[in-house]
């Protein structure tokens, strides 16, 4: 309705969600490097200098066991990569090393700050919205770069619609004030489908309306569709969450809690002389890493 002149770019994203900043992309490399250093340190002691016979045996056994575990994990990863290689030419961003998906992107107020700030050459950003008009505004924006971004129309509540990426391929999924807009009885299946897109260790980031936010208290009689679920004047809907409700949604989808907090803020509109009490919930949930046994 407001084209691209309504919402402001969300530059606060990198403060609240540092996972979107370029430095975070190197965490996996650092973890792998630490593992290599541990193995090298143990191997350098295998000649027995300064070790008793028992310690030599222990270190040698530990090295063999750890090496076997590394090979086991590498074999699992190789199998997954070989699966992805089959589909390598079938989806945008297949050569990317770090993939971000935003659901409910609107006109790009999250996507474009990410593309402007994160100059990682391996980054690829996917973004989708229910509105074809919104997606068209993203695609026609001067900042839109098809070599780093792919915008598409998608209803993430529609179980028959597929995402343009294979499962276990996305590092970060962003949900900013979008989950609250769908019917409550469709939320769980939508989150389940998104969870399957995440790589092991991948993160789902959410910021949405909390219970008793100013927006909820201002609704008039007749606008309540069901408990804590309302319809606005323009026909869009909004749900107001509790922390426990969101925790249930994410953990049922097989994700582990990293953060689940309430952000209460006092905002003042001096022009209209309004004092607004805002209540938002911010969550970070991670897909568990593959276990060695699996």
């Amino acid at each position: 309705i407001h084209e691209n002149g309504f919402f402001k770019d969300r530059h606060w994203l990198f403060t609240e969600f540092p996972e979107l900043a370029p430095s975070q992309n190197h965490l996996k490399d650092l973890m792998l490097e630490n593992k290599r250093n541990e193995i090298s340190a143990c191997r350098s002691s295998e000649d027995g200098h300064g070790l008793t016979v028992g310690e030599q045996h222990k270190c040698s056994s530990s090295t063999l066991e750890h090496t076997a575990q590394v090979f086991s994990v590498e074999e699992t990863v190789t199998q997954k990569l070989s699966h992805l290689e089959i589909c390598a030419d079938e989806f945008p961003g297949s050569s990317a090393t770090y993939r971000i998906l935003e659901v409910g992107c609107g006109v790009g107020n999250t996507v474009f700050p990410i593309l402007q700030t994160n100059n990682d050459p391996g980054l690829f950003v996917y973004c989708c919205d229910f509105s074809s008009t919104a997606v068209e505004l993203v695609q026609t924006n001067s900042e839109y770069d098809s070599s780093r971004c792919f915008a598409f129309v998608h209803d993430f509540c529609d179980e028959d619609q597929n995402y343009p990426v294979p499962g276990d391929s996305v590092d970060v999924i962003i949900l900013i004030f979008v989950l609250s807009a769908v019917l409550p009885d469709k939320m769980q299946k939508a989150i389940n489908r998104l969870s399957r897109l995440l790589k092991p260790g991948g993160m789902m980031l959410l910021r949405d309306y909390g219970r008793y936010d100013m927006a909820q208290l201002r609704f008039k009689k007749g606008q309540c569709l069901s408990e804590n679920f309302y319809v606005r004047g323009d026909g869009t809907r909004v749900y107001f969450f509790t922390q426990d409700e969101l925790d249930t949604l994410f953990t049922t989808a097989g994700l582990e809690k990293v953060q689940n907090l309430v952000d209460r803020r006092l905002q003042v509109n001096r022009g209209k002389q309004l004092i607004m009490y805002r209540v938002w919930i911010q969550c970070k949930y991670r897909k568990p890493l593959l276990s060695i046994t699996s």
Side-chain angles (χ1 to χ4, degrees), residues 33-248:
E33 186 63 30
N34 288 338
K35 287 296 182 185
R36 292 192 194 102
N37 291 339
E38 289 174 10
I39 295 172
S40 298
C42 200
R43 282 175 178 167
S44 65
S45 303
E46 284 180 348
D47 59 0
H49 292 301
L51 297 178
T52 65
V53 175
E55 287 171 333
Q56 290 179 38
H57 177 72
K58 181 179 179 182
C59 188
S60 178
S61 300
S62 174
T63 303
L64 290 172
E65 181 182 355
H66 187 82
T67 303
Q69 290 177 348
V70 170
F71 286 146
S72 175
V73 173
E74 286 180 350
E75 183 180 357
T76 304
V77 173
T78 301
Q79 290 172 354
K80 285 190 170 292
L81 287 176
S82 65
H83 170 69
L84 289 178
E85 285 172 1
I86 296 172
C87 311
D89 298 327
E90 298 179 12
F91 70 99
S94 56
S95 61
T97 56
Y98 198 78
R99 301 186 184 98
I100 296 174
L101 165 65
E102 186 194 8
V103 178
C105 64
V107 297
N109 300 105
T110 296
V111 170
F112 293 122
I114 292 174
L115 292 173
Q116 292 162 7
T117 304
N118 194 332
N119 56 5
D120 181 353
L123 172 71
F124 198 90
V125 180
Y126 305 88
C127 58
C128 63
D129 199 275
F130 178 80
S131 166
S132 58
T133 303
V135 171
E136 185 180 352
L137 287 167
V138 172
Q139 294 172 336
T140 55
N141 191 300
S142 60
E143 297 289 334
Y144 185 76
D145 182 355
S146 59
S147 67
R148 302 184 68 214
C149 182
F150 179 68
F152 57 101
V153 178
H154 187 85
D155 177 2
F156 84 120
C157 292
D158 187 345
E159 297 178 48
D160 296 326
Q161 277 192 303
N162 294 321
Y163 288 94
V165 291
D168 299 326
S169 65
V170 179
D171 294 273
V172 178
I173 294 176
I174 312 169
L175 298 164
I176 306 293
F177 298 105
V178 64
L179 188 61
S180 56
V182 306
L183 292 170
D185 59 359
K186 291 189 176 184
M187 290 179 183
Q188 187 64 68
K189 287 185 178 180
I191 295 297
N192 292 349
R193 291 178 65 234
L194 287 174
S195 176
R196 290 193 285 270
L197 297 179
L198 283 174
K199 292 179 181 178
M203 297 275 282
M204 200 174 295
L205 312 177
L206 173 141
R207 191 172 179 87
D208 221 319
Y209 297 103
R211 191 68 49 84
Y212 307 125
D213 176 65
M214 172 206 72
Q216 181 178 14
L217 301 179
R218 288 174 58 183
F219 277 112
K220 298 176 182 177
K221 187 177 180 180
Q223 290 183 278
C224 184
L225 300 174
S226 61
E227 191 173 5
N228 302 303
F229 189 49
Y230 301 80
V231 60
R232 298 188 183 96
D234 61 2
T236 58
R237 291 110 187 253
V238 57
Y239 186 84
F240 296 88
F241 294 99
T242 64
Q243 290 171 275
D244 289 341
E245 286 173 336
L246 287 168
D247 186 68
T248 299

Side-chain angles (χ1 to χ4, degrees), residues 230-286:
Y230 301 80
V231 60
R232 298 188 183 96
D234 61 2
T236 58
R237 291 110 187 253
V238 57
Y239 186 84
F240 296 88
F241 294 99
T242 64
Q243 290 171 275
D244 289 341
E245 286 173 336
L246 287 168
D247 186 68
T248 299
L249 285 171
F250 289 122
T251 54
T252 300
L255 305 178
E256 300 173 337
K257 181 173 72 173
V258 176
Q259 181 187 78
N260 185 327
L261 57 83
V262 177
D263 184 356
R264 293 183 174 87
R265 301 198 181 194
L266 174 65
Q267 293 183 336
V268 179
N269 185 324
R270 292 183 174 83
K272 297 182 179 180
Q273 295 184 334
L274 290 176
I275 296 177
M276 300 172 286
Y277 296 93
R278 306 313 308 263
V279 182
W280 299 314
I281 297 183
Q282 182 168 300
C283 295
K284 301 179 184 181
Y285 281 77
R286 179 187 290 120

